[in-house]
């Protein structure tokens, strides 16, 4: 979400992005940088510096699908919705539950 996309004479061009716009931007930018399919956003929070999300991706698709390798990434975006950082915090098989 660049400033140019919000400054084309649109009403509310100076407004901050909505939560759904931020989630779409995070999914799109992470996919572009990593080449991995984003399954879902599992956590989302507004911070003083921008936004923090946890995003689930498919790292390795397998057959059957329950054995596919997924990963959780922590993603940080600026207040404008631009990707500032990301890092993987967990890898797991789709069909396995978290240990208690």
């Amino acid at each position: 979400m660049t400033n140019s996309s919000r400054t084309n004479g649109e009403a509310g061009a100076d407004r901050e992005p909505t939560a759904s716009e931020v989630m779409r931007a995070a999914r799109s930018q992470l996919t572009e940088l990593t080449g991995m399919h984003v399954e879902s956003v599992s956590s989302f929070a507004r911070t003083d510096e921008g936004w923090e999300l946890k995003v689930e991706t498919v790292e390795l698709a397998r057959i059957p699908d329950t054995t596919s390798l997924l990963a959780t990434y922590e993603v940080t975006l600026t207040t404008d919705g631009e990707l500032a950082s990301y890092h993987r915090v967990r890898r797991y098989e789709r069909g396995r539950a978290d240990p208690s």
Side-chain angles (χ1 to χ4, degrees), residues 13-26:
D14 291 331
R15 71 171 177 77
E16 293 202 8
T18 65
S20 59
E21 290 171 336
V22 169
M23 284 191 262
R24 279 193 298 273

Side-chain angles (χ1 to χ4, degrees), residues 39-59:
E39 285 272 307
S40 64
V41 175
S42 58
S43 172
F44 179 84
R46 175 83 190 235
T47 68
D48 291 338
E49 294 80 32
W51 308 86
E52 290 181 359
L53 298 86
K54 287 193 178 163
V55 178
E56 309 300 319
T57 65
V58 177
E59 289 214 334

Side-chain angles (χ1 to χ4, degrees), residues 1-15 80:
M1 232 182 266
T2 62
N3 286 338
S4 63
S5 66
R6 296 186 304 154
T7 58
N8 293 333
E10 302 168 355
D14 291 331
R15 71 171 177 77
D80 289 342

Side-chain angles (χ1 to χ4, degrees), residues 84-95:
S85 69
Y86 70 91
H87 69 278
R88 185 177 62 210
V89 294
R90 179 174 166 241
R91 287 178 93 180
Y92 59 98
E93 281 187 351
R94 182 186 302 273

